[in-house]
Every structure is written in structure tokens, then in C-alpha cells.
Amino acid sequence: MNEEKFVIAIDGPVASGKGTIASRLAQELHGLYLYTGAMYRIVALASFESNIDLNDESLVVSLLPKISISYDGEKVFFNGRDVTERIKEQDTANGASIVGVYPQVRAALVQMQQQIGRDAISKGKIVVTEGRDTATKVFPDALVKIYLTATDEIRAKRRLLQYEQKGAETTLQYVLEEIAERDKRDRERATDPLPSNPQQVGYTIIDNSTMSEEETLHAIKAVLVRVGVAI
Ligand code: DC
């Protein structure tokens, strides 16, 4: 039996709604929510805290053995410290995209993700994971592969709202540029990029620009039903 038959992978660009949807789906299925972006954000945070320049690949890589990451539902822990709120900030979001270019960072984090996923599956859980390469690299045999997206404008508005709720002062124009830069880097990197041809590599594309959260969840559940997942 292929254990990846128990994986639902949701990938897509910045602020496409992957996090909210994957987390809700995992709760409904009593499964594990595996937020892979948190790991890249933690590597960026670890670099900031060690005063390491994110552009210095070998110094960033040298931090990897000192980083341990664990999850508890939606909470994320870095060396035992709850960093769930800290890693939502703009500096770690942009930093994650920079360190995510480094092949050795990716190799280490992918291995951690596969280990966490396998442990959950061995305990009988379904894994709902989200990121950029979860259906192509982390769990290439995932039962369900969703590519969630929305227009740049809609995604920027969503992200702006999240930043405002956290008290950050920024503008729609700035967020639009930030998102464009991050998506470009995530799509153009040499190692395990966000696919630019999602349909050809096996994803079902869902554009949720005009959908509510409920409607997006409903659309994903329809895909699950088609492949025989009991929900
Ligand atoms: O999903 P997110 O916004 O938390 O991801 C932050 C950054 O981390 C994203 O811009 C690129 C990187 N990332 C990645 O390279 N691969 C993943 N599977 C998840 C995130």
C-alpha cells in the first residue's frame, strides 16, 4: 500500500487561501495539518536571530542542524518556542522565499516534512499539507493535488487585510509588489519551484477569486469525493 494515498496536497502562490482551507480540511478529516511554509519562515527567523545575512547561503545552511521544528494543530514551535504569530510577519514571509531558493535548505526541510507526514500516516491519520512543492516533491504520489490560486489583486487585498489585522502599516500597492516579487522567486528558482504548468503536472486547479471560503472548501471536497475519500 502506498502511504502517500493518505495525503491531500494543496499548493499555490502567496495568499491563495491554502492555509485556511488546508487547516479546516484537516480538522474536518481529523487529520494532520502540515504547513510547510512555516519551516522556511523559521529558517529565516533563525537567521535573523543569529544576525546572519539571508543572502549568505553557506551561513544559512550552517544553521540547519541547530533548528528543530514541531507542530501542534495550527501552532508551530521553533526549538520548543511557540513562533506561530511571529512567523506571520512580513520579514519572515519574504525571508522564507529567499532561503527557500537554497537546495540544501530545501533538502533538509523536505526530509522533515516527509518524516512528519509518514509518522502521522502510520498512526492512521490523513495528512493535509500545503506549500509550493508538496504535490511535486514532498509527496509526489499524493492522492489529491490541488493548485489553489486567485488573481493578483484579490490575493494582495487578502494579504493586506491580514497585515492590517496585525497592526502593520502598509499599502495595497506595496503588498502587490511584495507578492509579485515573492511569486516570481518561488516560480523561477531552480530547485522544486512552484509549478507554472500545474495542470500538466497533475494538479486540479481551483481559482477562488470569486469564491468564499465555504465555496472553496466545497470545491475541494468535490474533488475528494471524485477520488473516493469519505467525507
Ligand atoms: O506559504 P507561505 O507564504 O508561508 O510560504 C513562505 C515562503 O516559503 C514562500 O514564499 C516560499 C517558501 N516555501 C517554499 O519554498 N516551499 C514550500 N513548500 C513552502 C513555502
Side-chain angles (χ1 to χ4, degrees), residues 21 24 158 208-219:
I21 295 296
R24 281 193 58 182
R158 287 178 188 157
N208 66 7
S209 301
T210 59
M211 290 183 190
S212 65
E213 202 176 297
E214 290 306 318
E215 287 167 336
T216 306
L217 199 57
H218 193 262

Side-chain angles (χ1 to χ4, degrees), residues 60-145:
V60 173
V61 167
S62 74
L63 282 179
L64 291 170
K66 298 176 200 150
I67 299 175
S68 101
I69 298 170
S70 58
Y71 296 86
D72 181 6
E74 286 192 20
K75 284 196 188 299
V76 192
F77 298 84
F78 163 35
N79 291 348
R81 170 162 54 111
D82 183 352
V83 291
T84 315
E85 291 308 314
R86 174 64 185 90
I87 62 169
K88 286 180 187 159
E89 290 175 27
Q90 267 168 308
D91 59 346
T92 47
N94 296 322
S97 174
I98 296 171
V99 300
V101 171
Y102 305 146
Q104 283 170 277
V105 169
R106 302 204 69 79
L109 300 188
V110 165
Q111 205 182 10
M112 272 191 232
Q113 291 152 19
Q114 289 171 332
Q115 190 60 52
I116 292 173
R118 286 192 197 117
D119 286 351
I121 292 165
S122 72
K123 290 179 190 139
K125 288 195 173 209
I126 283 207
V127 174
V128 186
T129 186
E130 52 114 340
R132 305 293 184 289
D133 60 346
T134 69
T136 54
K137 175 70 180 184
V138 189
F139 301 108
D141 294 325
L143 175 64
V144 178
K145 302 181 179 189

Side-chain angles (χ1 to χ4, degrees), residues 35-37 40-41 96-97 106 131-133 182 186 189:
Y35 169 27
T36 63
Y40 294 89
R41 288 171 183 253
S97 174
R106 302 204 69 79
R132 305 293 184 289
D133 60 346
R182 189 137 72 96
D186 295 345
R189 66 172 176 242

Side-chain angles (χ1 to χ4, degrees), residues 10 30-31 34 36 94 102 117 127 132 143 152 158 162 164 182 185 191 206 218 226-227 229:
I10 307 179
H30 305 289
L34 180 53
T36 63
N94 296 322
Y102 305 146
V127 174
R132 305 293 184 289
L143 175 64
D152 294 356
R158 287 178 188 157
Q162 287 167 352
E164 284 172 350
R182 189 137 72 96
R185 197 187 296 114
T191 311
I206 297 179
H218 193 262
R226 277 212 296 280
V227 297
V229 178

Side-chain angles (χ1 to χ4, degrees), residues 158-226:
R158 287 178 188 157
R159 189 44 49 99
L160 180 66
L161 196 66
Q162 287 167 352
Y163 285 149
E164 284 172 350
Q165 281 164 350
K166 284 184 68 66
E169 280 188 30
T170 184
T171 63
L172 183 62
Q173 187 54 35
Y174 182 81
V175 177
L176 260 170
E177 285 165 20
E178 186 186 52
I179 285 182
E181 188 186 341
R182 189 137 72 96
D183 283 343
K184 183 173 181 330
R185 197 187 296 114
D186 295 345
R187 284 197 177 101
E188 293 181 357
R189 66 172 176 242
T191 311
D192 307 328
L194 175 69
S196 41
N197 55 344
Q199 205 153 13
Q200 277 127 286
V201 294
Y203 286 93
T204 300
I205 301 175
I206 297 179
D207 183 324
N208 66 7
S209 301
T210 59
M211 290 183 190
S212 65
E213 202 176 297
E214 290 306 318
E215 287 167 336
T216 306
L217 199 57
H218 193 262
I220 293 181
K221 284 183 182 170
V223 179
L224 298 189
V225 169
R226 277 212 296 280

